[in-house]
């Protein structure tokens, strides 16, 4: 079985890790992914029957998966290995910062711009009230 072949599992884990790292470094991918997830969640939340069906399916799937000791053991090992890889944290942080603070800008540039906007708004507010 492929799941019992240590070399195959190690290679597969490396491929998945590289794919996740590469995807999280792609600003367009992260933006499109976040837009798709938010859009799907908003649309699904509007339909009670769909929401209930999805909840039932997810609940059943998670319950069955957690009852499978081999699956839980494999998942635990994969999560442990993944959490030990600092590249995933860096790629995830970069993607999130890029999505949250603007594309093509670094966090310090965005922070400076936001600070300037805040200061200008504060000055205008003081002028209006005083």
């Amino acid at each position: 079985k492929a799941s019992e072949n240590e070399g195959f599992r190690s290679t597969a884990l490396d491929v998945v890790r590289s794919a996740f790292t590469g995807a999280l470094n792609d600003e367009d991918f992260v933006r499109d992914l976040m837009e798709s997830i938010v859009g799907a969640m908003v649309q699904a939340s509007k339909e009670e029957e769909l929401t209930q069906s999805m909840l039932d399916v997810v609940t059943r799937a998670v319950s069955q998966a957690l009852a499978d000791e081999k699956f839980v053991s494999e998942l635990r090992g994969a999560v442990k290995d993944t959490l030990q890889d600092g590249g995933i944290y860096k790629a995830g942080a970069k993607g999130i910062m890029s999505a949250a603070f603007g594309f093509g800008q670094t966090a310090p540039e965005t922070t400076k711009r936001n600070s300037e906007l805040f200061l200008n708004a504060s000055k205008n507010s003081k002028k209006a009230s005083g």
Side-chain angles (χ1 to χ4, degrees):
K1 284 183 167 180
S3 64
E4 295 173 0
N5 182 327
E6 186 63 35
F8 176 78
R9 286 191 345 216
S10 176
T11 301
L13 181 60
D14 288 343
V15 168
V16 170
R17 184 180 298 136
S18 295
F20 272 110
T21 302
L24 292 174
N25 278 317
D26 183 343
E27 293 175 1
D28 291 333
F29 173 79
V30 173
R31 183 188 66 238
D32 292 345
L33 177 64
M34 295 305 292
E35 287 175 1
S36 296
I37 290 171
V38 170
M41 287 178 9
V42 168
Q43 188 64 31
S45 69
K46 293 178 182 178
E47 298 181 29
E48 182 63 34
E49 186 176 329
L50 177 60
T51 302
Q52 189 59 48
S53 295
M54 290 297 292
L55 184 59
D56 291 344
V57 168
V58 170
T59 301
R60 199 171 316 132
V62 169
S63 297
Q64 289 175 355
L66 293 176
D68 182 351
E69 290 181 30
K70 185 169 181 165
F71 172 79
V72 172
S73 176
E74 292 290 327
L75 181 62
R76 185 179 299 123
V79 169
K80 178 184 172 196
D81 290 345
T82 301
L83 292 176
Q84 292 174 342
D85 180 8
I88 288 189
Y89 292 113
K90 290 175 187 172
K94 180 181 175 186
I96 290 170
M97 294 298 286
S98 176
F101 295 113
F103 304 102
Q105 290 185 331
T106 62
E109 291 171 341
T110 304
T111 301
K112 181 180 177 188
R113 182 185 53 126
N114 289 344
S115 296
E116 290 170 352
L117 291 172
F118 177 76
L119 289 173
N120 288 337
S122 296
K123 289 177 186 176
N124 291 338
S125 175
K126 287 179 184 176
K127 285 180 185 176
S129 65

